[in-house]
Amino acid sequence: MAQTPTHSTYDVVIVGGAIMGASTAWFLTDNPDFDGRVLVVERDPTYSACSTAHTNSCMRQQFSTELNVRISQFAADFVKNIRRYMGGDDRVPELGIRSFGYMYLADTDAFADTLRDNINVQHAAGAATELMTPEQIKARYPFYNVDDIVLGSINTVDEGYWDGAAVFDWWRRQSRERGVEYIENEVVAMTRDASGTRVESVTLTSGEVIGCGQVVNASGPRAARTAQMAGIGVPVEPRKRFSWVFKAEQPLDQDLPLTIDPSGVHVRENGGGTYQAGGHSDVDPAVDYDDFTMDHSIWETHVWPVLATRIPQFEAIKVTSEWAGHYSMNTFDHNAIMGPHNEVENFVFLNGFSGHGLQQSPAMGRGTAEWLTYGAYRSLDLTPFHYDRLVADRPIIEKAVI
């Protein structure tokens, strides 16, 4: 990947080339009404530390807000029809969704009431979610211990694992072939015009000053630092999330849904007798952008005991790999922050996905590309997620955050 941009000015400069930046770039190239020049600035083209690389790579429709359900429905359609969406390119693989579902387990009446409220929203949007009593859960999934469970919620239609890495790869590959320029560099400063209402240029770590028509903040957990360069703020922090892949001595004889235990620990099918679990510490502070240190005590004292209690066959398991990644946590309301800044009109947010960014990337990239092209949305109306809700103190509370 080149380090120096070819031109001195671009219609759109995207800060961050991981899943959100790549999606936006690709959807711009796919829009016949957009004919501008696009630069994607990525500080680490290995993507080894980005949230995209540390994802569960699963999608769900079990959200508490209709808009989030519809966003995931588009993701499912895009993944299942990716070759058609990408112009019938026969190099693009045919993909699917391994729909083992998400199993939410409620151990209190209050949590059960939340699941009942959520299913009404999901059904209204066309999702196939069903509620299950402990007896029904045990009958369908005998491996669970449900002694403390009041209610479960699951959807096995378009809910489960998908190949996020393949979609990411093809968005980058095809958008570059269509003229999007990716460079290995970093935006270190931004300059606003005399009125202060627009970013007129960005400065790269290599020294170049690049003129820009519009700037997209797609820098994941580093969103606040990018916004600060333009003299504005956004309530997004990197929060550490831990993952473990383990092998079971006695694998389950059926697919394990992505199970969200009431403790917050989650675990899913990984294939071949292996499983992937995730969790975090009870104390969940913002961390340094480069802090990916594992906390090994969490596995021993929290995650493994929870797994062995919920699924007794997981008493005998062996960890085969582990890693720490970052959520881009929107501390305002745990939902995406999109659209233009209320004063710096050409600074566009694409931030704060709080752990569900990968599955939202098709709809969010499409929507951002529409906004950059038309100044409005043509498909799914994403204006409820605009930055101005922060200014107005108008949170959109998403109850289904893992």
Side-chain angles (χ1 to χ4, degrees):
M1 187 184 294
Q3 294 181 313
T4 305
T6 304
H7 305 282
S8 60
T9 185
Y10 291 82
D11 297 282
V12 177
V13 174
I14 300 174
V15 185
I19 197 74
M20 289 298 172
S23 177
T24 300
W26 183 84
F27 275 100
L28 283 171
T29 71
D30 201 53
N31 189 333
D33 294 331
F34 180 83
D35 60 358
R37 186 182 291 158
V38 180
L39 177 69
V40 179
V41 184
E42 172 53 47
R43 59 186 298 276
D44 177 18
T46 70
Y47 300 100
S48 59
C50 70
S51 297
T52 302
H54 294 135
T55 175
N56 242 312
S57 203
C58 288
M59 68 170 70
R60 59 185 162 106
Q61 296 184 32
Q62 291 186 75
F63 286 94
S64 67
T65 55
E66 181 184 352
L67 185 51
N68 276 333
V69 178
R70 296 200 180 281
I71 286 167
S72 285
Q73 288 171 334
F74 176 65
D77 186 66
F78 186 90
V79 170
K80 292 190 297 182
N81 298 284
I82 185 171
R83 184 177 292 177
R84 174 174 60 80
Y85 274 106
M86 303 196 89
D89 187 338
D90 60 12
R91 299 173 301 165
V92 177
E94 296 283 5
L95 300 178
I97 301 166
R98 188 174 178 185
S99 293
F100 43 62
Y102 279 56
M103 174 67 82
Y104 283 85
L105 296 173
D107 62 348
T108 65
D109 291 335
F111 192 0
D113 286 341
T114 297
L115 294 182
R116 294 186 184 101
D117 291 341
N118 291 353
I119 199 173
N120 292 329
V121 173
Q122 293 154 19
H123 281 179
T129 314
E130 59 178 313
L131 297 177
M132 302 180 71
T133 65
E135 294 76 21
Q136 290 169 328
I137 295 171
K138 192 70 175 177
R140 191 181 303 179
Y141 301 101
F143 49 78
Y144 284 128
N145 169 12
V146 293
D147 290 348
D148 60 333
I149 297 303
V150 177
L151 193 68
S153 173
I154 193 168
N155 169 24
T156 55
V157 178
D158 292 341
E159 191 164 287
Y161 174 82
W162 59 289
D163 193 346
V167 175
F168 179 42
D169 179 56
W170 276 100
W171 275 340
R172 285 178 294 150
R173 188 182 306 191
Q174 203 175 71
S175 62
R176 280 198 295 260
E177 292 173 354
R178 294 173 173 182
V180 170
E181 193 173 334
Y182 276 75
I183 61 169
E184 179 184 357
N185 215 309
E186 188 172 4
V187 174
V188 294
M190 298 184 186
T191 302
R192 285 158 61 166
D193 63 7
S195 67
T197 59
R198 296 182 66 82
V199 174
E200 61 182 14
S201 67
V202 301
T203 302
L204 304 178
T205 191
S206 51
E208 293 90 351
V209 177
I210 306 299
C212 55
Q214 300 184 85
V215 177
V216 179
N217 182 355
S219 47
R222 298 172 183 262
R225 190 172 74 169
T226 299
Q228 191 174 32
M229 296 176 196
I232 54 185
V234 64
V236 176
E237 300 174 350
R239 298 288 183 87
K240 197 181 286 189
R241 294 294 180 267
F242 301 96
S243 295
W244 299 266
V245 172
F246 62 89
K247 194 169 186 65
E249 184 176 298
Q250 292 183 298
L252 306 178
D253 60 4
Q254 63 189 106
D255 275 353
L256 172 64
L258 196 156
T259 305
I260 301 95
D261 189 81
S263 65
V265 172
H266 54 87
V267 60
R268 70 165 175 86
E269 180 69 38
N270 200 50
T274 67
Y275 304 87
Q276 182 173 330
H280 60 86
S281 60
D282 292 335
V283 179
D284 188 27
V287 297
D288 186 83
Y289 295 124
D290 297 312
D291 179 5
F292 294 96
T293 305
M294 282 296 294
D295 182 343
H296 299 284
S297 67
I298 294 176
W299 173 260
E300 293 291 340
T301 64
H302 180 50
V303 176
W304 187 14
V306 166
L307 295 178
T309 300
R310 183 62 58 206
I311 303 173
Q313 278 178 247
F314 286 171
E315 288 181 2
I317 55 181
K318 180 181 180 180
V319 173
T320 57
S321 62
E322 59 186 10
W323 63 89
H326 290 169
Y327 270 10
S328 303
M329 187 65 75
N330 168 10
T331 59
F332 180 69
D333 63 7
H334 295 171
N335 265 307
I337 300 170
M338 298 183 67
H341 186 257
N342 59 313
E343 294 176 354
V344 187
E345 59 191 27
N346 70 333
F347 187 98
V348 176
F349 294 91
L350 195 53
N351 307 117
F353 292 92
S354 304
H356 41 266
L358 194 81
Q359 66 187 297
Q360 295 197 326
S361 59
M364 298 311 198
R366 178 184 64 172
T368 300
E370 290 172 350
W371 185 267
L372 294 168
T373 304
Y374 307 115
Y377 299 110
R378 295 289 180 89
S379 50
L380 192 60
D381 183 9
L382 300 172
T383 53
F385 289 142
H386 274 201
Y387 181 89
D388 60 11
R389 83 178 188 278
L390 279 66
V391 180
D393 194 23
R394 191 176 61 246
I396 302 171
I397 302 302
E398 174 55 63
K399 299 174 186 176
V401 175
I402 299 173

